[in-house]
Amino acid sequence: MSETKHPALPGVPLSGHAANEITRRDFLNEITLGALGIAGLGSVAVAGLGSVAVTYQFFSPNVLFEPPTTFRAGNPDLYPVHSVTFLQEQQVYIVRMPEGFYAVSAVCTHLGCVTQWKPDADMIACPCHGSKFKGDGTKIEGPAPRALPHFAISLTADGELLVDKLQNIKPAQVLKV
Ligand code: FES
């Protein structure tokens, strides 16, 4: 049978009981150190991932993606003369009169409600506070401070209507087709 030596006092044999106690303590120390090591590694990994995420966010472009402001409104033949067509997705009226086309904003100039074309009354009405406009956007009555703006309208190379909602134009500017 081999003798267990006291680690602090080399050469001094330990009794079986003392040897068991130290072994248990060593074992517990090992476990504790192992657990602390794993926890430490976990903390380092979490901190590393956090700094990678922050660095990625810092270097990625801070861009706000907005819907395009220019859109195609289709072939002019889609719109009969003397018509006002509401394009809901764009919140724009495509108006065709004998003199040509114009694009009118459907957003009320009072507080920004979306207006509605009323063909029976031949006018555009705002459901929020009662402003009324002619088909060409001219204000008739109500709290709206001004007429509905006109957007630039042109023809694409392949003959479709093209509206630019970023470009306001004078109501007198019509697209002759
Ligand atoms: S938002 Fe149109 S009248 Fe107020």
Side-chain angles (χ1 to χ4, degrees):
M1 180 177 152
S2 67
E3 247 182 19
T4 309
K5 308 270 185 185
H6 195 293
L9 304 169
V12 177
L14 293 173
S15 68
H17 183 67
N20 281 344
E21 272 186 15
I22 288 170
T23 303
R24 194 178 304 129
R25 187 178 300 139
D26 287 345
F27 176 73
L28 289 174
N29 281 344
E30 286 295 319
I31 292 223
T32 308
L33 286 175
L36 284 176
I38 290 171
L41 278 179
S43 303
V44 169
V46 168
L49 283 177
S51 35
V52 166
V54 169
T55 307
Y56 175 77
Q57 197 174 15
F58 177 77
F59 282 110
S60 35
N62 202 3
V63 178
L64 179 64
F65 293 100
E66 291 182 345
T69 56
T70 301
F71 68 93
R72 285 171 174 254
N75 194 292
D77 294 340
L78 293 172
Y79 305 92
V81 180
H82 289 289
S83 70
V84 177
T85 306
F86 177 49
L87 304 181
Q88 184 165 9
E89 193 177 324
Q90 300 294 340
Q91 300 189 344
V92 167
Y93 297 106
I94 301 294
V95 183
R96 184 172 193 181
M97 292 294 152
E99 63 271 23
F101 281 91
Y102 37 92
V104 179
S105 169
V107 179
C108 183
T109 53
H110 181 220
L111 292 177
C113 288
V114 177
T115 57
Q116 297 164 351
W117 168 242
K118 304 284 184 189
D120 296 341
D122 194 30
M123 67 172 185
I124 295 169
C126 180
C128 293
H129 312 101
S131 288
K132 295 185 172 84
F133 308 87
K134 292 182 186 172
D136 66 358
T138 307
K139 181 187 159 188
I140 302 171
E141 65 179 44
R146 58 190 174 278
L148 298 173
H150 284 213
F151 298 131
I153 184 167
S154 57
L155 277 182
T156 62
D158 54 357
E160 286 195 0
L161 296 171
L162 184 72
V163 178
D164 183 353
K165 293 197 286 183
L166 266 192
Q167 205 181 333
N168 286 9
I169 59 170
K170 292 180 182 158
Q173 291 178 262
V174 295
L175 172 69
K176 299 183 192 312
V177 175

